[in-house]
Amino acid sequence: MISSKCNCDRCQHEVCARRVPIFSTLSIEELQKVVNLIYRRSYIKGELIVIEGSNLDSLIIINSGQVKAYRDTQDGKEQILYVFSEGDFFGEKNLIINQAATYNVEALEETNICAIRKEDFQKLLTEHPSIGLKIMEELCNRLDRLEKTIEGMGSKDVEARLGMVLLEFARKHGKESGEGILVELPLSREGIASYIGLTRETVSRKMTLLQNQGIIEMVGNKKVLIKNIKLLEQTVQ
Amino acid sequence: MISSKCNCDRCQHEVCARRVPIFSTLSIEELQKVVNLIYRRSYIKGELIVIEGSNLDSLIIINSGQVKAYRDTQDGKEQILYVFSEGDFFGEKNLIINQAATYNVEALEETNICAIRKEDFQKLLTEHPSIGLKIMEELCNRLDRLEKTIEGMGSKDVEARLGMVLLEFARKHGKESGEGILVELPLSREGIASYIGLTRETVSRKMTLLQNQGIIEMVGNKKVLIKNIKLLEQTVQ
DNA sequence: CGCCTCATTGAAGAGTATCAAAAACTGTGG
DNA sequence: CCACAGTTTTTGATACTCTTCAATGAGGCG
């Protein structure tokens, strides 16, 4: 059975559950149980998956596509907190500490999600403590990232912040090519700006700067070729 | 038995375990088991409890006192990430995702800690999944705080950031007094600056500004009287 | 009381935000 | 394949805020 070529609901579910790190410790039988709990949704680009302040009652796992999690600040801007893609999950906060969603989540492209309802998820958690451990791992990783972000924002080196984001995207969707790593940017300049707390103009300026230094090369508006990743890493650290 | 007046090791341990939110769901018997796993340490002001990069193999819970968790940035400054006090814990990241400490932890005053070794803690976790849930809760809360911090740092309102810190300290160690809330600051101006990513001079200036607006009143260097908390909250939001 | 540390204040400088305009890109339809 | 319109990005000039450097002032502890 080549599940990746089967498009029935069942198999898609299984694929989804398999792909997700938090279920990686489960046996095939356990996985099957999880699959039965999952329901699916699809969203087109720009569609809101979660609205800040609403009661989200499911854990949501990204099957394919990408989303941004953001907040609207009081001065009307949006602050992007996370860019999630395949295998990432969100909504855990609403399940665990029982609070309304603290940010909006919007599809950046066509996105398919798998979701598990709160009750099902909590049952799962008590039956399989290993899932809890995986969740904790991921939460810790997220804390790690946020801590680094804060450190970066504190030490006011703007170029370093931009470099960090480029490296993050490169890790996620970078493709090795002859002259370097080609990265498809999930966010526009404005999005990047909101992600690292700058204005789009400054992001523009800094990008051209990095380009003039020979570190990157912009390919259209949505791609970047990282020509010298070592130099970029130095800029960051 | 008035345990708070008993100073034997045993009781101190128990007090410690009871105080800690992550053990709050345990029965007395279970708590007793936890108590037996705990070992204690004391640190004087300025002493390092955890060194960045070292292998921390225990979960550490603060019994009394206060600590700061910080990183040394490449440009020689320190970036404070957390101020932990009674009942807070840290070190969980090293236990869960098996990595070296990502920050230093230093006692801000005389501090007593309780600690549980990795193996003991992990056994505890499998035996009492509810502890895992509590840890997840706390991790989510921390994520929440960091997300807010990032939002604050992004929307560049410096006074708001200062206000946030003052409110945080007020919540933790504020004492209602006739004219407002008296807060003992755990950090110096420099510490506050490093906590919110500014310089000590800017913190000074903004503090005098808040004082001139009648919102706060400085009492010596280490205390602040919040005279108008509503105004302060408005500044933040 | 004096010393040392920490906090405040001032003036100059650097960097980003802001506003405005030009240029480049994306996608659509002919 | 090209042209066009809308959007996004880049570039320029100015203003504002924070940082930096330097000096003064206040607080705490022996």
Side-chain angles (χ1 to χ4, degrees):
Chain A
M1 180 175 100
I2 304 165
S3 61
S4 64
K5 290 208 173 164
C6 171
N7 275 320
C8 72
D9 260 5
R10 197 61 172 281
C11 289
Q12 291 246 346
H13 280 178
E14 190 172 5
V15 169
C16 170
R18 271 190 195 291
R19 266 193 214 144
V20 175
I22 59 173
F23 297 132
S24 62
T25 56
L26 300 185
S27 69
I28 299 174
E29 292 78 30
E30 291 169 330
L31 212 57
Q32 195 54 52
K33 273 167 58 186
V34 173
V35 165
N36 291 332
L37 300 175
I38 284 176
Y39 66 92
R40 302 175 73 225
R41 291 277 183 282
S42 288
Y43 298 89
I44 58 168
K45 179 177 172 176
E47 206 171 349
L48 272 174
I49 302 174
V50 178
I51 298 174
E52 187 178 351
S54 69
N55 273 332
L56 177 60
D57 66 339
S58 298
L59 179 78
I60 296 177
I61 301 159
I62 299 179
N63 194 2
S64 69
Q66 286 191 96
V67 305
K68 65 175 175 184
Y70 67 96
R71 248 181 223 163
D72 290 313
T73 61
Q74 57 269 37
D75 48 332
K77 290 177 196 164
E78 70 179 43
Q79 167 75 46
I80 297 181
L81 292 164
Y82 302 99
V83 176
F84 293 132
S85 53
E86 189 181 316
D88 290 329
F89 63 86
F90 57 90
E92 77 291 339
K93 251 195 309 190
N94 316 285
L95 304 191
I96 295 170
I97 56 178
N98 234 339
Q99 69 179 176
T102 50
Y103 39 69
N104 301 293
V105 178
E106 183 184 318
L108 291 168
E109 55 190 52
E110 172 134 18
T111 297
N112 295 298
I113 59 121
C114 294
I116 302 179
R117 280 186 212 296
K118 185 170 189 165
E119 312 84 56
D120 296 330
F121 172 69
Q122 288 184 332
K123 215 186 306 166
L124 216 57
L125 220 49
T126 51
E127 284 167 11
H128 304 285
S130 67
I131 295 179
L133 266 173
K134 285 280 167 188
I135 300 242
M136 280 186 235
E137 268 180 37
E138 173 58 21
L139 293 179
C140 286
N141 283 328
R142 247 173 241 187
L143 276 173
D144 228 36
R145 195 188 77 75
L146 290 186
E147 285 165 4
K148 285 205 184 87
T149 303
I150 289 178
E151 183 191 334
M153 289 178 112
S155 68
K156 43 120 201 55
D157 202 329
V158 171
E159 280 167 68
R161 281 195 253 171
L162 181 56
M164 270 174 59
V165 182
L166 291 179
L167 287 173
E168 181 188 334
F169 291 155
R171 240 175 285 125
K172 273 195 197 165
H173 348 268
K175 275 164 200 145
E176 193 68 52
S177 90
E179 310 160 65
I181 302 170
L182 189 65
V183 185
E184 188 132 352
L185 300 173
L187 298 174
S188 65
R189 296 288 181 281
E190 177 141 36
I192 294 174
S194 136
Y195 197 29
I196 55 181
L198 299 172
T199 59
R200 55 170 172 277
E201 292 96 329
T202 304
V203 171
S204 256
R205 285 185 245 267
K206 294 301 174 187
M207 292 268 281
T208 28
L209 219 122
L210 285 175
Q211 180 165 256
N212 292 341
Q213 292 169 342
I215 298 176
I216 65 167
E217 189 177 312
M218 297 185 245
V219 184
N221 275 338
K222 301 200 169 161
K223 288 179 191 168
V224 163
L225 181 69
I226 300 181
K227 290 164 72 179
N228 193 335
I229 195 158
K230 288 219 159 188
L231 259 174
L232 189 58
E233 278 164 350
Q234 275 179 31
T235 315
V236 170
Q237 201 45 262
Chain B
M1 180 175 98
I2 304 162
S3 60
S4 64
K5 291 208 173 164
C6 171
N7 276 321
C8 73
D9 260 4
R10 197 60 173 282
C11 288
Q12 291 246 344
H13 280 178
E14 189 172 5
V15 168
C16 170
R18 270 191 195 291
R19 266 196 215 143
V20 175
I22 59 173
F23 297 133
S24 62
T25 56
L26 300 184
S27 69
I28 299 174
E29 293 78 30
E30 291 168 329
L31 211 57
Q32 196 54 51
K33 273 167 59 187
V34 173
V35 166
N36 291 331
L37 300 175
I38 285 177
Y39 66 92
R40 301 174 75 225
R41 292 277 183 282
S42 286
Y43 299 88
I44 59 168
K45 180 177 173 178
E47 207 171 350
L48 273 175
I49 302 174
V50 178
I51 297 175
E52 186 178 352
S54 69
N55 273 332
L56 178 60
D57 67 338
S58 297
L59 179 79
I60 296 176
I61 302 158
I62 298 179
N63 194 2
S64 70
Q66 285 192 95
V67 305
K68 65 175 175 184
Y70 67 96
R71 248 181 221 163
D72 290 313
T73 61
Q74 58 267 37
D75 48 332
K77 291 178 195 164
E78 70 178 42
Q79 168 74 46
I80 297 179
L81 292 164
Y82 302 99
V83 176
F84 292 132
S85 53
E86 189 181 318
D88 289 330
F89 64 87
F90 57 90
E92 76 293 337
K93 250 196 310 190
N94 316 285
L95 304 190
I96 296 171
I97 56 177
N98 235 338
Q99 69 176 177
T102 51
Y103 39 70
N104 302 292
V105 178
E106 183 185 318
L108 290 168
E109 56 189 53
E110 171 134 17
T111 297
N112 296 297
I113 59 119
C114 295
I116 303 179
R117 280 185 212 298
K118 185 172 188 164
E119 310 84 56
D120 295 332
F121 172 69
Q122 288 185 332
K123 213 188 304 166
L124 213 58
L125 219 50
T126 52
E127 284 167 11
H128 304 286
S130 67
I131 293 179
L133 265 174
K134 284 283 169 187
I135 300 242
M136 281 186 235
E137 268 180 35
E138 174 57 23
L139 293 179
C140 286
N141 283 326
R142 247 173 240 187
L143 277 173
D144 227 36
R145 196 189 75 77
L146 290 187
E147 285 164 6
K148 285 207 184 83
T149 304
I150 289 178
E151 184 190 334
M153 289 178 111
S155 67
K156 45 115 199 57
D157 202 327
V158 171
E159 279 166 70
R161 282 195 252 170
L162 181 56
M164 269 174 60
V165 182
L166 291 179
L167 287 174
E168 181 188 334
F169 292 154
R171 241 175 284 125
K172 273 195 198 166
H173 348 268
K175 273 164 201 145
E176 193 68 50
S177 92
E179 307 161 66
I181 302 170
L182 189 66
V183 185
E184 187 132 353
L185 299 174
L187 299 174
S188 64
R189 297 288 182 278
E190 178 141 35
I192 295 174
S194 136
Y195 197 28
I196 54 180
L198 299 172
T199 60
R200 55 170 172 277
E201 292 97 328
T202 304
V203 171
S204 257
R205 284 185 245 267
K206 294 301 174 188
M207 292 267 282
T208 31
L209 219 122
L210 285 175
Q211 181 164 256
N212 292 341
Q213 292 170 343
I215 298 176
I216 65 169
E217 189 176 313
M218 297 186 244
V219 184
N221 273 339
K222 301 200 170 162
K223 288 180 190 168
V224 163
L225 180 69
I226 300 181
K227 290 164 71 178
N228 192 335
I229 194 157
K230 288 221 160 186
L231 258 174
L232 189 59
E233 278 163 351
Q234 274 178 31
T235 314
V236 171
Q237 201 45 263

